[in-house]
Amino acid sequence: MDRALEQGAALSVAPPPDVELRSLVKRYGETLALDGVSLAVHAGEFFTLLGPSGCGKTTTLRAVAGFVEPSAGDVLIKGSRVNDVPAHRRRVGMVFQHYALFPHRTVFQNVAFGLRMAGVERAQLERRVGEALELVRLPAYGARYPRELSGGEQQRVALARALVTRPAVLLLDEPLGALDKQLRDHMQIELKSLQREVGITTIYVTHDQGEALTMSDRIAVMRDGRLEQIGPPRDIYESPRTVFVAGFIGTTNLLPVRVLTGTEVEWGRARVRTAAPAGGPGASVTLALRPERVRLEPDGRADNVVAAAVAHVVYQGETVRYVLRTEEGLELQAVEIGETRFAPGARVRAGWAADDARVLDG
Ligand SMILES: Nc1ncnc2c1ncn2[C@@H]1O[C@H](COP(=O)(O)OP(=O)(O)OP(=O)(O)O)[C@@H](O)[C@H]1O
Ligand SMILES: [Mg+2]
């Protein structure tokens, strides 16, 4: 019995993550680009590094690919430490931030590049390039040159080039950054469904929070070479753990408040109730409140109601954003779906539920 249990336990041991970073540090002279990054990406996962310019996203990706040598810490791929394994033997495919297809080579030659380097023989090479181009839905484009393709098509060729060697892990560094909004939205969905179809473990880099929320299984928010929070999009959006994450993902009201007792705080002179204890009496904390949680002229009972005037109305197409100002001059934003209901100067009551606001330190 005991032995059977032991064997069962041994059999159910989870496989190692496809990519694991352990306390990764990268220094460039005085610059600390990575300051102890640890994370694990699992098989088939779409994992996104999200953060502002210069926070270390590309450096992280390049360390996984083997183009950046860590100053300290380990890179593991499928459970093996690869710090000393050269890039071309790591079984990763990468699409670079400022992608460059070889301009004087055809689409076919571009995609075939990695296979040719690996010495794959002609017939197999042709078949695999054909498959890769089919996968990115450009089967008839082999003879064209990059300049004869749209930006989105070039991006798909870059993707085919990264996939053709059948890497274990796909690394994408802002692959849609150069595209206009409409094409980017389209490519996001296409890229995501392609990733699902192939089932390839993917680390995706972007500084676009909407893109990260749309595409990812999990998001790691980076700041100054460190990971601020890791979690599924909903957690990152609904339950940011820091002021930085709350502020970086979407627009958030960050209300500076002072704790009165337990779940009651003071925002200016307004008393506001929170769902969780906000801290000791007198403590200064921040309430993060999504604008879409703020109801204007709430019917029924809202836990919190403040009187305010509409300062600005921003028409956004499907939604309307109201910038409100309380009598004390404190600002609060509310977003509603549908038609514009209030004009600048209108006096409104803004309400929200206690558990719609998150308490953040500082
Ligand atoms: N080769 C290098 N030499 C010196 N400093 C570098 C080098 N590469 C990156 N850095 C610095 O390391 C930090 C992280 O850079 P990284 O390229 O990883 O940022 P990023 O998050 O990808 O930014 P972006 O969104 O602008 O692409 C930055 O301060 C950058 O200036
Ligand atoms: Mg970058």
Side-chain angles (χ1 to χ4, degrees):
M1 175 68 183
D2 277 350
R3 188 173 296 166
L5 267 179
E6 256 169 42
Q7 279 177 354
L11 284 175
S12 68
V13 165
D18 271 11
V19 176
E20 191 177 353
L21 303 180
R22 292 186 184 161
S23 308
L24 207 63
V25 174
K26 179 61 189 177
R27 279 187 208 88
Y28 292 108
E30 296 286 280
T31 309
L32 190 54
L34 298 180
D35 185 12
V37 170
S38 297
L39 56 82
V41 183
H42 301 286
E45 196 174 21
F46 196 111
F47 188 93
T48 296
L49 296 170
L50 173 69
S53 187
C55 72
K57 305 180 297 291
T58 294
T59 306
T60 305
L61 218 56
R62 287 178 156 266
V64 174
F67 301 121
V68 153
E69 196 185 329
S71 309
D74 290 324
V75 180
L76 291 86
I77 295 181
K78 292 192 181 285
S80 303
R81 185 174 177 278
V82 295
N83 289 45
D84 306 314
V85 176
H88 68 274
R89 293 233 239 94
R90 289 195 186 186
R91 298 197 52 221
V92 300
M94 182 150 172
V95 173
F96 293 91
Q97 183 165 9
H98 304 289
Y99 62 92
L101 297 175
F102 304 119
H104 303 300
R105 297 189 192 188
T106 63
V107 166
F108 182 94
Q109 289 165 337
N110 267 282
V111 176
F113 181 76
L115 298 178
R116 196 162 282 151
M117 288 292 106
V120 172
E121 52 93 15
R122 188 72 204 177
Q124 202 199 130
L125 180 143
E126 278 181 10
R127 187 172 48 75
R128 281 173 63 179
V129 170
E131 282 169 6
L133 286 175
E134 202 127 320
L135 196 62
V136 298
R137 296 173 189 90
L138 293 174
Y141 282 62
R144 291 216 206 173
Y145 286 88
R147 64 172 180 278
E148 299 170 322
L149 303 176
S150 74
E153 287 163 352
Q154 290 183 36
Q155 208 44 268
R156 300 217 290 259
V157 174
L159 199 60
R161 190 170 66 176
L163 285 169
V164 77
T165 55
R166 295 182 188 147
V169 180
L170 183 61
L171 306 174
L172 304 173
D173 195 353
E174 310 221 20
L176 310 181
L179 308 179
D180 65 44
K181 167 99 176 81
Q182 208 175 356
L183 185 54
R184 202 165 66 213
D185 289 352
H186 174 74
M187 286 293 292
Q188 281 172 11
I189 293 165
E190 216 165 87
L191 190 55
K192 175 74 194 187
S193 65
L194 183 81
Q195 186 265 343
R196 277 226 192 89
E197 197 178 314
V198 182
I200 189 169
T201 309
T202 300
I203 307 181
Y204 190 88
V205 161
T206 183
H207 61 259
D208 179 330
Q209 42 102 5
E211 193 162 293
L213 292 172
T214 306
M215 302 182 77
S216 317
D217 295 317
R218 282 191 303 151
I219 298 172
V221 181
M222 280 191 93
R223 176 196 194 183
D224 293 342
R226 293 171 156 273
L227 296 185
E228 191 94 351
Q229 185 171 349
I230 302 182
R234 180 171 294 278
D235 279 13
I236 299 276
Y237 189 83
E238 303 271 349
S239 312
R241 279 208 297 267
T242 65
V243 171
F244 177 81
V245 174
F248 193 73
I249 308 274
T251 320
T252 301
N253 293 296
L254 295 171
L255 314 181
V257 299
R258 213 169 49 81
V259 179
L260 294 172
T261 52
T263 57
E264 205 176 28
V265 301
E266 214 170 25
W267 179 45
R269 287 191 303 274
R271 289 190 167 216
V272 167
R273 287 204 287 131
T274 61
S284 293
V285 296
T286 300
L287 282 193
L289 175 64
R290 295 287 177 197
E292 63 269 27
R293 300 289 186 175
V294 177
R295 306 253 174 283
L296 298 183
E297 298 300 327
D299 44 9
R301 263 186 55 114
D303 296 321
N304 299 299
V305 177
V306 295
V310 175
H312 303 285
V313 179
V314 185
Y315 176 71
Q316 305 180 128
E318 290 161 27
T319 58
V320 186
R321 175 178 302 274
Y322 296 97
V323 181
L324 311 172
R325 218 165 320 267
T326 69
E327 284 154 6
E328 299 174 72
L330 302 171
E331 193 183 292
L332 185 69
Q333 295 199 16
V335 166
E336 291 189 339
I337 296 174
E339 290 165 32
T340 307
R341 296 199 295 150
F342 304 97
R347 306 207 57 84
V348 294
R349 292 179 320 125
W352 66 92
D355 62 5
D356 280 340
R358 306 270 150 200
V359 179
L360 306 174
D361 284 338

